[in-house]
Amino acid sequence: MSLVSEIDFGTPASKATTTVSLTIDGFAVTVPEGTSIMRAAMQTGIKVPKLCAYDMVDAFGSCRLCLVEIAGRPGTPASCTTPVAEGMVVTTQNQRLAKLRRNVMELYISDHPLDCLTCAANGDCELQDMAGAVGLREVRYGYDGANHLKSEKDQSNPYFTFDPAKCIVCSRCVRACEEVQGTFALTIDGRGFASHVAAGMDEDFLASECVSCGACVQACPTATLIEKSVIEIGQPEHSVVTTCAYCGVGCSFKAEMRGEQVVRMVPYKDGKANHGHSCVKGRFAWGYTNHQDRILKPMLRERITDPWREVSWEEAIGRVAAEFRRIQTQHGKGAVGGITSSRCTNEETFLVQKLVRAVFGNNNVDTCARVCHSPTGYGLSKTFGTSAGTQDFDSVDDADVVMVIGANPTDAHPVFASRMKKRLRQGAKLIVVDPRRTDLVRSAHIEAAYHLPLRPGTNVAMLNALAHVVVTERLVAEDFVRERCDTQAFADWAGFIARPENSPEAAAQFTGVPAEDIRAAARHYAGAGNAAIYYGLGVTEHSQGTTAVMAMANLAMATGNIGRRGVGINPLRGQNNVQGSCDMGSFPHELPGYRHISDANVRALFETDWGVRLEPEPGLRIPNMLDAAVDGSFRGIYIQGEDILQSDPDTHHVAAGLAAMECVVVQDLFLNETANYAHVFLPGSTFLEKDGTFINAERRIGRVRKVMQPRAGMADWEITLAIAKAMGLEMHYDHPSEIMDEIARLTPTFAGVSYEKLEQVGSLQWPCNDKAPDGTPVMHVGSFVRGKGNFLITEFVPTDEKIGPRFPLLLTTGRILSQYNVGAQTRRTGNVVWHEEDRLEIHPHDAEQRGVRDGDWVRLASRAGETSLRARITDRVAPGVVYTTFHHPNTQANVVTTDYSDWATNCPEYKVTAVQVTPSNGPTAWQVGYREQARRSRIVLPAAE
Ligand code: SF4
Ligand code: SF4
Ligand code: SF4
Ligand code: FES
């Protein structure tokens, strides 16, 4: 095994379709117009010395190392900033150029600490390489003049250091922060000899606006910016390409290793979702893999009040099988079920639903997508015919107007946010529909054309009003509707949407957004050449989540914004594999590929392959399983990689359901909150410890590759296999690739997918089959998957969750960049320096009314429960709205969320809860008790020798 090395071509690729032919060092070269001479040379295999050029940012031309000669032109232009021209004759190497380059290098080296032998970058330093490449043998100026060698090192960032003594002021870091990340945290301050890289207002990195994405570290050609892990462990010696296990962007990384130790994660330039960029989580927050809290032995206990007892895998698996069979014998086949994980691989998820259907003999399988994007699946399948987003991420490069609804990509989908911001800086216009003034509304060099700060729970009123303007102001794309859509459905919908109750004036009363702003935003969206909608859980996690998804689909069809690049309806999926867990048949009514369990032909396909008979009736959803547990008819559950106690709504109800069960089996990395109610704990494996695939928000199937052995001895898929075997069904797979072969055999949209194909092409977007052997970046081109696009009536029905005198404020929730969901992983990494606790954002007006000051403890109460946390006073939220994150178990925002849910899918209404906020003295009684209970339930007795 060796390090996967990617060529740095020096400057970005040109997108031009016309080509130019030239000669470089006697070789004939043809490249796209606009390509730099440097890139043209590199593509031909001719290395031009360089320091300030880097192919992820535009050329800058400051180091003067890449000089070339061009026949017929005077001087020695920089090859990184000079574009190719037809017939050009270029020389990159001769005596004159070599001398000029050596002179440049001499100046650099005369102000550089010559500690190469002990430098952490030794062997991976471009300055060192270039000194060799230009044949530097002496430094005539000596090393005694004015220099920067005593500059102080900045170690404030938990993951990387900044040593100005080694800086060559090439500005690659500054440009990476601007162009790739879009944060603009760095500048070159001062002039001439005094010029230096400055973070923020010339402060340390941690205090600056740096978001620790690491783009600057990756760009730095020296050891100035370098990962602390490289300093501690040393240079990596081999690497494996894999996929990030945090969010639905699905960034591709090179896991750079020394033996079985990860040295660093480097975003893969060939990764089609991220093109070499990452956020702080994927690049740096992988230390949880080796955290001391990892549970590495299976554990059992008779009652949930008993201490845990470590046991062998055989005993644990045997107990699970025996208990589930006993429960089924005593209480019926349907008394047990399973929950699949959107954090696990497709192969693992497929096996859990197969276990439930083929071994348990029922369809009681559900997934956490129930609580996030299930309305997306339902809404888009009814309108377009497919339960997935329509575009690839690259498509945003062609958008003229971007509408972001109920999503905060800067924090939740950071790498896509950087991409989107780049497009916005190029001139695309932005509409933000969000109760909160998110970062996108105004950030460095970005300003939304319209921010519609609607009241939580009024998305459908807003979307209907936008559509009303389109219909009544004759902005409909008539040709598109006539040719591509069901015209009768359109006529019915247009009649409905044109009614006065759907006008912006009517919507203004519900949404609180002035009618003229809604009208202007609608004209903007409808009038764009290409308009794309991106949305998140702020759309789906409502009682009308599905209706809102349908309303967005209606809007896109009415304006013709479907079926080509730059447009579409794009759900920003939360979990790394939430798309895959849905695709793999995790819902109680659907087999893999979204085929209804009642379809006898589909069932027959699986029955023949699996050699069992399948139940035709849909099984129980998560909330129904919990209800049935409280009622006594549901007694056992297998939960793979989900912490439903923290992540599902109405914590008290979840706890009551779990406490009522006789056998709760939790398979996870850590003793999570749900494990407090478990009888069996099976230690899970991280994404670094197994093979498989994830599917990101753009339907992209990417490989997860094992870089170390499972620390507990078994990968998650092997555990599920062992349970199935112990319960009597022999499923045999030697490798997850064989599970994917089965998925492909049984699922038409995956028919062309195999590990072999993934090795060849890197990643694939489904559908991938005979019709689309290389996958499908953009869906519904030419025609919709369902044939004609279907307009659906989307009547606005206000939620039953109403504010009143007892609960006068509306609570909405979201994520921040450094933490991930319930924080099980990120809280066990250096990321805690950015977010030690969940805080409640409250508008100054509401805070003043309640006598609350910034940082005060407040009691947050709803009709479902209460919690306490500290207040942050900010006008990011409108008066009447409060906001918090849900990353910390001792806050548990879901204690206050209610059991209201989406009418079609049961997706909980997380985003709207009527609450009251009052001053408090500190944590509530349950929060104090939580610590003690957590401590007690984690007492582990070692296995008997
Ligand atoms: S880590 Fe990212 S945000 Fe921070 S300075 Fe570097 S590029 Fe900018
Ligand atoms: S920190 Fe690195 S990338 Fe930035 S200017 Fe200095 S040497 Fe160049
Ligand atoms: S954007 Fe998402 S997938 Fe990419 S590195 Fe960050 S958490 Fe991982
Ligand atoms: S690499 Fe071209 S001027 Fe620095």
Side-chain angles (χ1 to χ4, degrees), residues 8-13 36 38-39 50-61 80-81 170-182 215-216 218-220 269 275 422 425:
D8 176 0
F9 293 99
T11 61
S36 69
M38 173 179 280
R39 189 174 177 108
K50 67 176 190 63
L51 276 172
C52 70
Y54 168 55
D55 64 6
M56 289 189 61
V57 295
D58 288 339
F60 190 55
C80 61
T81 48
C170 64
S171 105
R172 276 162 62 158
C173 54
V174 177
R175 286 174 286 143
C177 191
E178 291 174 359
E179 296 175 33
V180 180
Q181 166 59 21
C216 56
Q218 188 176 332
C220 183
K269 279 200 295 188
H275 301 292
K422 190 167 190 173
R425 291 196 301 274

Side-chain angles (χ1 to χ4, degrees), residues 244-251 253 278-283 412-415:
C244 178
Y246 279 116
C247 86
V249 177
C251 297
F253 280 90
S278 75
C279 79
V280 60
K281 295 187 287 286
R283 190 192 293 261
H413 301 87
V415 166

Side-chain angles (χ1 to χ4, degrees), residues 342-360:
S342 295
R343 315 305 310 280
C344 286
T345 63
N346 292 305
E347 294 73 5
E348 288 162 344
T349 306
F350 181 86
L351 284 194
V352 173
Q353 64 88 35
K354 182 173 176 180
L355 173 80
V356 170
R357 300 190 204 281
V359 182
F360 295 179

Side-chain angles (χ1 to χ4, degrees), residues 339-605:
I339 297 179
T340 70
S341 173
S342 295
R343 315 305 310 280
C344 286
T345 63
N346 292 305
E347 294 73 5
E348 288 162 344
T349 306
F350 181 86
L351 284 194
V352 173
Q353 64 88 35
K354 182 173 176 180
L355 173 80
V356 170
R357 300 190 204 281
V359 182
F360 295 179
N362 61 46
N363 292 306
N364 294 336
V365 61
D366 208 355
T367 177
C368 72
R370 164 79 47 226
V371 300
C372 62
H373 266 289
S374 48
T376 290
Y378 191 80
L380 295 184
S381 71
K382 293 291 169 204
T383 45
F384 299 161
T386 297
S387 299
T390 60
Q391 313 294 122
D392 57 355
F393 289 144
D394 288 358
S395 161
V396 77
D397 293 348
D398 290 310
D400 301 309
V401 166
V402 175
M403 177 138 64
V404 178
I405 311 179
N408 181 9
T410 310
D411 283 84
H413 301 87
V415 166
F416 176 68
S418 294
R419 190 75 186 269
M420 178 191 284
K421 285 177 175 178
K422 190 167 190 173
R423 179 65 192 144
L424 295 171
R425 291 196 301 274
Q426 288 167 350
K429 296 286 179 264
L430 173 68
I431 301 167
V432 175
V433 183
D434 202 292
R436 201 164 157 260
R437 199 182 68 238
T438 57
D439 164 85
L440 268 187
V441 174
R442 184 176 297 145
S443 58
H445 302 277
I446 304 286
E447 174 131 32
Y450 297 96
H451 174 210
L452 310 181
L454 75 182
R455 280 192 199 107
T458 60
N459 286 328
V460 173
M462 174 62 75
L463 288 160
N464 282 350
L466 292 167
H468 178 95
V469 177
V470 170
V471 168
T472 57
E473 296 191 8
R474 305 180 63 83
L475 301 172
V476 170
E478 287 175 5
D479 290 349
F480 182 91
V481 170
R482 192 170 46 252
E483 287 158 23
R484 300 279 312 269
C485 302
D486 180 328
T487 46
Q488 185 56 51
F490 171 76
D492 295 345
W493 171 78
F496 155 78
I497 213 76
R499 288 189 210 150
E501 65 260 32
N502 290 319
S503 69
E505 288 68 24
Q509 294 167 29
F510 293 105
T511 62
V513 178
E516 55 273 25
D517 288 359
I518 302 175
R519 284 190 182 278
R523 289 173 195 138
H524 220 68
Y525 174 80
N530 288 332
I533 292 178
Y534 292 84
Y535 70 97
L537 302 181
V539 167
T540 54
E541 290 178 343
H542 288 274
S543 59
Q544 280 204 292
T546 295
T547 318
V549 172
M550 293 168 170
M552 290 186 300
N554 291 339
L555 190 59
M557 287 188 290
T559 52
N561 280 308
I562 288 288
R564 61 182 187 280
R565 284 174 59 85
V567 300
I569 298 290
N570 305 283
L572 293 172
R573 298 281 193 160
Q575 312 257 28
N576 53 318
N577 198 35
V578 66
Q579 179 70 53
S581 73
C582 297
D583 300 340
M584 293 300 113
S586 292
F587 290 125
H589 64 292
E590 280 172 343
L591 285 158
Y594 304 97
R595 287 161 300 164
H596 206 278
I597 191 75
S598 63
D599 185 326
N601 291 332
V602 176
R603 268 200 329 279
L605 194 67

Side-chain angles (χ1 to χ4, degrees), residues 50-73:
K50 67 176 190 63
L51 276 172
C52 70
Y54 168 55
D55 64 6
M56 289 189 61
V57 295
D58 288 339
F60 190 55
S62 69
C63 77
R64 310 297 295 162
L65 204 62
C66 67
L67 310 178
V68 291
E69 288 179 355
I70 302 171
R73 290 200 196 177

